[in-house]
Amino acid sequence: MPLEPYPRGAVWWARGRVEYNGAPITEYYRCSTGASEEQGAWDWCRKEEQSAIRIHLLGEDPEEKTITFADAVLKYDAKPKEAAYLVPITLEIGSIPIQDISPKLVRELGPKLYPNCSTDTWTRQVVTPVRAVLNNINDSESGIAFRVRGYTQKEKVAQDNKRKSTGRKKYPPGSWEWLLKFREHASPRLGALALLMFVTGARISQAVSMHPHKHINKAKGMICIPGAKGHGDRWLRVPEEILSELTALPEVYPRNWKRKPENLRLFGYADRGGPRKLWNKACEDAGIEQIPFHPAGRHGFGQEMNVRERVDEKAAGAFGGWSDLNLMRNTYTHAEDAEIKINQALRRGLLKAERKTRLKLRKEL
């Protein structure tokens, strides 16, 4: 059992083992914390866990070596993009002991390292990688996860005003109308790719990694969206006409890839950037707005299910691969035809009020 306090007379004791990734890394504790109150005992347990985890990861007594942020970075298996973000951060705070790194310090790194960027960039390139590095040391299962409050709307507006920009262009979510026009001017393979993303909420990286045999089960009428963002694969049942379109695509190897069975790709692209030029050309030829992959696909699915068709949000979240319904609601749904809808609602309300007033006057007469 994890380390936890319990009362014993006037003093709180601790029992259990310190665990890391679900496995015990210490002998069983049964000792006094020296605390007379429960909160003090919990603090003792957390400190003891942190010390034991440091020894387990670094192989030495934390009293003999202070773990700096640079030490923590070396223990973190960063992806290439994350590693690039961590370089300037480590140059700035690499020598600071991790116990001295506060959420306030992390938030202040954003404007210091990227003074002309948005708060979204600060979050993506500073807050998120720092939090990941520290939580790799202070494992979240130990109860000592490092958390950082995000930038407020006030901070966002102030930074946007300062740099005279509201950030990257906001694109409308995809729709059936947009998709059908796009498909009229796209190749069958590109049109199928756009359709798949719109009807499943798949990301472009997931779609282009699909294998024609591993990720399609024609007998069961199902397709598999490869896992991403910490989620596993999603097997989904789709309409027969969509499945038929996908299975009719000829087998293709990405350009310059070895021609062996495992290298086949359903859409024939090596990576997420592969279809970009043809995608933009299809938009231009169709005379429609150039909506990028993510807004056209995943945002389009969220908008279609949650706003236009009003599907049960739990069903939409499960099918589209959102474990956090708040994220789906807040990020993947958009105000659409707001002025028209509001004015129509106001007009309806006015007419109802006028009818009620006329009926009341008639009764009084």
Side-chain angles (χ1 to χ4, degrees):
M1 61 183 293
L3 198 58
E4 64 179 15
Y6 67 98
R8 186 171 176 179
V11 178
W12 285 76
W13 280 46
R15 61 188 172 196
R17 292 182 173 87
V18 177
E19 295 181 353
Y20 183 75
N21 285 340
I25 58 173
T26 67
E27 296 297 325
Y28 194 87
Y29 281 74
R30 189 181 296 277
C31 60
S32 171
T33 67
S36 58
E37 296 183 4
E38 183 178 5
Q39 185 56 53
W42 277 111
D43 290 344
W44 185 92
C45 290
R46 297 292 82 84
K47 185 176 180 181
E48 190 68 20
E49 286 174 338
Q50 186 176 19
S51 175
I53 290 172
R54 287 178 184 172
I55 294 173
H56 175 71
L57 292 174
L58 299 177
E60 54 186 277
D61 190 332
E63 295 298 325
E64 296 177 6
K65 174 177 170 57
T66 299
I67 303 176
T68 65
F69 183 75
D71 296 326
V73 169
L74 293 176
K75 293 290 180 181
Y76 180 64
D77 184 18
K79 296 177 182 177
K81 188 174 286 188
E82 267 187 317
Y85 296 157
L86 285 168
V87 170
I89 298 171
T90 305
L91 290 173
E92 190 67 33
I93 64 169
S95 61
I96 298 178
I98 61 172
Q99 64 267 27
D100 294 339
I101 297 177
S102 66
K104 182 174 183 292
L105 183 150
V106 176
R107 284 195 300 274
E108 290 175 348
L109 276 177
K112 186 172 185 178
L113 294 176
Y114 305 102
N116 297 318
C117 292
S118 69
T119 55
D120 288 342
T121 299
W122 298 345
T123 298
R124 183 174 59 255
Q125 297 185 197
V126 178
V127 172
T128 299
V130 169
R131 185 170 54 211
V133 166
L134 295 180
N135 282 334
N136 184 57
I137 294 292
N138 299 338
D139 183 73
S140 58
E141 292 185 11
S142 71
I144 49 177
F146 183 81
R147 295 182 174 86
V148 183
R149 171 183 63 76
Y151 297 98
T152 65
Q153 183 64 22
K154 183 178 179 180
E155 290 171 319
K156 180 183 185 306
V157 171
Q159 179 63 9
D160 287 345
N161 289 337
K162 177 183 175 183
R163 65 198 191 100
K164 295 180 174 59
S165 172
T166 56
R168 65 179 65 180
K169 180 180 177 181
K170 299 293 191 296
Y171 292 96
S175 65
W176 278 116
E177 293 77 12
W178 184 92
L179 179 63
L180 292 175
K181 290 179 182 177
F182 176 89
R183 281 163 56 84
E184 287 178 2
H185 295 269
S187 67
R189 191 174 303 280
L190 188 62
L193 171 66
L195 176 65
L196 174 95
M197 293 193 296
F198 181 76
V199 301
T200 65
R203 298 175 175 85
I204 182 64
S205 57
Q206 295 172 294
V208 297
S209 69
M210 290 175 66
H211 190 282
H213 305 313
K214 295 178 182 177
H215 295 107
I216 294 184
N217 188 326
K218 189 175 182 180
K220 292 185 177 180
M222 301 182 76
I223 62 174
C224 176
I225 305 302
K229 301 281 187 178
H231 298 281
D233 293 350
R234 279 185 291 134
W235 278 97
L236 306 173
R237 193 175 303 282
V238 296
E240 176 61 32
E241 55 266 35
I242 294 175
L243 188 69
S244 297
E245 182 172 339
L246 295 175
T247 53
L249 294 174
E251 294 187 352
V252 179
Y253 296 94
R255 185 180 299 174
N256 298 326
W257 283 29
K258 291 184 178 179
R259 300 176 69 83
K260 50 185 181 179
E262 59 267 31
N263 281 349
L264 283 169
R265 289 296 178 268
L266 180 61
F267 299 107
Y269 300 109
D271 56 46
R272 57 180 296 161
R276 184 169 289 115
K277 286 185 179 179
L278 290 176
W279 181 281
N280 292 340
K281 186 177 185 304
C283 292
E284 183 178 345
D285 292 345
I288 55 178
E289 183 171 359
Q290 290 200 0
I291 304 179
F293 308 131
H294 202 58
R298 193 158 176 78
H299 281 260
F301 174 86
Q303 185 76 355
E304 190 70 21
M305 295 300 107
N306 288 278
V307 177
R308 299 174 190 138
E309 297 299 330
R310 300 189 180 280
V311 171
D312 162 37
E313 65 177 17
K314 289 191 176 180
F319 194 91
W322 284 284
S323 56
D324 184 349
L325 296 183
N326 285 325
L327 175 65
M328 179 182 68
R329 233 180 273 119
N330 296 334
T331 304
Y332 290 89
T333 60
H334 306 258
E336 199 166 55
D337 300 326
E339 290 183 357
I340 295 173
K341 291 176 181 177
I342 295 300
N343 286 320
Q344 287 176 344
L346 290 171
R347 180 63 179 167
R348 287 194 300 270
L350 173 60
L351 293 174
K352 287 179 184 178
E354 288 177 340
R355 282 197 298 268
K356 286 182 179 179
T357 301
R358 287 196 296 269
L359 288 172
K360 186 177 179 181
L361 287 173
R362 288 175 186 172
K363 287 179 180 180
E364 290 176 352
L365 293 174

